[in-house]
Amino acid sequence: MTDMPRPIPNMDDLDTAGFFKAAAEHKLTIRTCTQCGASYSLPREYCRECGAFAMEWKEVSGKATLHAYTVVTHPVHPAFPVPYTAVLVDLVDVPGARMVGNIPGEHHLEVGQAMEVWFEHVEDGIVLPQWKVAE
Amino acid sequence: MSRWDHRDACAIAGIGHTDFSKNSGRSDLTLATQAALAAIADAGLVPADIDGIVRSDYDHVSHNALADAIGADNLTYWGQSGPGGIAPSSIIGQAIGAIVSGQATTVLAFRELNGRSGARFGLGGSDKFVVGGNASYDEFFNPFGLLTPAQMFGLMQQRHMSQYGTTREDLAAIAIACRNRANANPNAQMYERPLDLETYMDARMISWPLCLFDCCLETDGAAAVIITTTERARDLAQPPAVIRASAHASGPNIQPGQMFPALLRDSIIELPGRHVAKLLYERAGLGANDIDVAQIYDCFTITALMEFEDYQLCERGEGGRWASSGAIELGGELPINTAGGHMSEGYIHGMNHVLEGVRQIRGTSTSQVEGAEVCLVTSSPPPASSAFLLVADR
């Protein structure tokens, strides 16, 4: 277990890599249809709402509210020492869009409380939009 | 043909299983072979009678490997029906489809895993370095520290507790009901190991508020059933457990991937089971009030709790209070998981629930519900759900 490297996102996937490339520039983006404005937390090229293949990476604000959280206490990976608090957030700008993140340590939070993005440098070229309690 | 054509058309004629353990010492193929042979013998058949095999996406043993191993030399149909926990009830549905459409007469359905000594779901996919791509969407979860099912269901449990006032005592009632039934079942992994509320409350946290006893077991084992027409089943060795109706359904926003994308559905505390329930009850001409006993998919206590609500066994949001009222205990309103469930019998991804459903209809359960004539069996998330209703042959 001690030799396991931290999992990093695939940076070559044709549908999803753009999210992490934007994150490397400290931009939080969401795949959005240029024809009808529908957005997809899990990026893909086809818009099921309007039938277009016309997506763009739309930059959104880093404001969110807490949807749920869990304090992970059972260790399964050395890159994630316990305890840490995994959070699920709803983006304020984009109704229905949701993302996950983690906060080191044990924290007891309130559903609905304000959260904000920050950018974690994992290694060269790998940056994750992460979430913390809004200041 | 209509959506009701399969009503009562098929029955489960045989059941078989291995021991459930932490270290089987046998290959997946040996486990599958043993369970299959036991089910075939239970039905009073021989392997050459089997002309169809249906399995889970997660089975390591292929239909052809098992057919070759047992000598099922006349296959005319095979298929697989979804990942792990979704599979068993939809496997039954697929077998019915094959039989009713004339593509097979006698279908073997199985699930095999060395879930403790082999690949453990509880460890997640954490040995991978570069994750995601190819519409798996793991890259949006694993790098952020979401690695295991317990963490995902911990989020769901926290949300349910926050939204509806569900308590840990409510969830304990589910774990304890399952353990009580396991303590009557000599084949259960937790046989002769009682669990009380104090022990539950003091248990170590896995992913707060989800504790050790909210998690199912990890199990080496296999289970198998034989499905054929109800008419033919009447001539075989066991009384038929008639499949009143079967349904699998995604509902909207099924979500891609294996697991974590389900966190992006509108509600994380309602499962696709609510869509299955509507379809199932319509197909069966029966409702939740007609059910005498239920085998509810319980990878975690919160999973079972959400299904109580999804399958209309209680009001939305009341699953916790309903469970801790005693409703799910033997002698209660609706006894559940009478062999011990995943919590305490073993984790054969819901296929052991199918076998226990059959036992209740036969009247041979180690925790028999007196006069049971209708049994609900569910298989659950993510990313979809399935269920069926067994009835006595009348």
Side-chain angles (χ1 to χ4, degrees):
Chain A
M1 184 162 128
T2 51
D3 296 335
M4 287 195 293
R6 176 168 174 170
I8 60 167
N10 185 326
M11 294 296 286
D12 298 319
D13 187 78
L14 292 171
D15 289 339
T16 67
F19 177 83
F20 297 99
K21 286 174 181 164
E25 298 171 9
H26 288 209
K27 290 177 183 168
L28 180 67
T29 60
I30 190 154
R31 204 66 170 147
T32 303
C33 178
T34 58
Q35 301 301 300
C36 76
S39 62
Y40 294 85
S41 302
L42 301 178
R44 69 285 306 267
E45 290 304 292
Y46 175 69
C47 178
R48 56 182 271 178
E49 300 301 326
C50 76
F53 283 90
M55 296 283 183
E56 65 173 350
W57 294 104
K58 184 179 177 185
E59 187 171 358
V60 296
S61 86
K63 291 179 182 165
T65 57
L66 185 72
H67 192 85
Y69 75 99
T70 184
V71 181
V72 179
T73 47
H74 178 74
V76 294
H77 198 294
F80 298 101
V82 295
Y84 64 94
T85 304
V87 296
L88 179 65
V89 303
D90 292 310
L91 300 196
V92 169
D93 292 0
V94 190
R98 211 173 277 156
M99 294 183 183
V100 305
N102 73 82
I103 305 170
E106 173 165 2
H107 303 276
H108 287 282
L109 310 170
E110 292 291 331
V111 167
Q113 80 177 80
M115 306 290 287
E116 65 185 12
V117 78
W118 66 282
F119 292 91
E120 179 185 14
H121 286 249
V122 177
E123 58 182 75
D124 280 352
I126 306 292
V127 177
L128 302 179
Q130 280 279 17
W131 298 92
K132 62 179 180 177
V133 173
E135 288 167 1
Chain B
M1 288 180 75
S2 80
R3 65 200 319 194
W4 296 283
D5 274 4
H6 78 281
R7 187 187 285 180
D8 296 336
C10 296
I12 297 178
I15 59 176
H17 62 85
T18 64
D19 56 310
F20 301 147
S21 72
K22 287 184 173 180
N23 188 355
S24 69
R26 288 107 81 196
S27 68
D28 286 51
L29 179 61
T30 298
L31 293 173
T33 300
Q34 290 175 330
L37 291 174
I40 292 166
D42 182 59
L45 295 169
V46 295
D49 294 321
I50 302 300
D51 57 9
I53 295 181
V54 188
R55 66 185 195 117
S56 159
D57 297 359
Y58 282 2
D59 283 303
H60 292 145
V61 176
S62 64
H63 68 274
N64 49 307
L66 185 57
D68 192 67
I70 64 174
D73 292 332
N74 303 301
L75 285 194
T76 60
Y77 184 87
W78 52 86
Q80 62 192 63
S81 188
I86 295 158
S89 295
S90 58
I91 283 175
I92 303 299
Q94 199 171 350
I96 294 169
I99 293 165
V100 170
S101 64
Q103 297 180 79
T105 66
T106 313
V107 178
L108 167 68
F110 76 96
R111 177 80 183 96
E112 122 288 304
L113 69 167
N114 276 313
R116 181 61 175 77
S117 68
R120 297 175 62 182
F121 290 96
L123 292 182
S126 53
D127 57 336
K128 287 183 205 153
F129 175 44
V130 176
V131 296
N134 293 319
S136 70
Y137 295 106
D138 287 339
E139 64 269 50
F140 290 92
F141 302 96
N142 299 161
F144 297 86
L146 272 178
L147 300 165
T148 69
Q151 296 161 4
M152 176 167 132
F153 284 90
L155 287 165
M156 294 171 162
Q157 181 175 326
Q158 189 275 329
R159 177 79 192 192
H160 201 284
M161 291 171 74
S162 169
Q163 187 161 332
Y164 292 123
T166 302
T167 65
R168 289 192 61 218
E169 286 82 353
D170 293 334
L171 291 150
I174 299 170
I176 291 168
C178 290
R179 184 63 66 90
N180 289 343
R181 302 296 85 74
N183 279 296
N185 173 12
N187 195 56
Q189 279 182 277
M190 290 297 167
Y191 182 57
E192 293 184 331
R193 292 178 67 179
L195 174 67
D196 60 21
L197 180 60
E198 190 182 354
T199 307
Y200 173 96
M201 296 302 287
D202 290 344
R204 70 186 166 92
M205 284 291 155
I206 301 297
S207 196
W208 181 96
L210 187 152
C211 76
L212 179 66
F213 294 114
D214 291 312
C215 302
C216 69
L217 306 173
E218 293 179 300
T219 305
D220 289 5
V225 299
I226 308 298
I227 303 114
T228 187
T229 62
T230 300
E231 192 179 355
R232 181 147 176 268
R234 290 184 181 125
D235 297 330
L236 297 179
Q238 304 289 345
V242 177
I243 304 160
R244 177 69 171 186
S246 155
H248 41 294
S250 66
N253 299 117
I254 183 172
Q255 297 293 343
Q258 295 287 316
M259 183 167 61
F260 297 112
L263 290 170
L264 305 186
R265 290 184 190 132
D266 291 350
S267 170
I268 64 167
I269 51 175
E270 297 176 21
L271 300 173
R274 68 192 190 279
H275 306 294
V276 177
K278 191 166 175 284
L279 191 57
L280 179 68
Y281 296 151
E282 184 187 355
R283 288 175 173 176
L286 296 171
N289 289 336
D290 297 307
I291 299 167
D292 300 314
V293 56
Q295 314 302 331
I296 304 291
Y297 190 88
D298 53 338
C299 51
F300 297 93
T301 52
I302 187 65
T303 322
L305 189 157
M306 290 189 284
E307 289 170 277
F308 298 160
E309 300 173 6
D310 290 333
Y311 285 91
Q312 305 162 21
L313 309 178
C314 64
E315 295 294 318
R316 177 66 62 194
E318 293 298 314
R321 284 171 285 277
W322 185 71
S324 56
S325 74
I328 60 175
E329 280 285 348
L330 205 56
E333 185 184 328
L334 185 65
I336 68 157
N337 299 5
T338 44
H342 289 148
M343 290 288 132
S344 288
E345 185 194 24
Y347 182 52
I348 313 296
H349 264 150
M351 192 56 93
N352 46 323
H353 291 54
V354 177
L355 272 64
E356 178 61 11
V358 172
R359 289 187 205 102
Q360 284 290 347
I361 297 302
R362 289 182 182 176
T364 59
S365 170
T366 50
S367 291
Q368 184 62 39
V369 173
E370 203 173 327
E373 294 200 353
V374 180
C375 181
L376 171 68
V377 180
T378 74
S379 306
S380 213
S385 297
S386 59
F388 63 100
L389 284 163
L390 286 172
V391 297
D393 190 21
R394 291 282 181 266

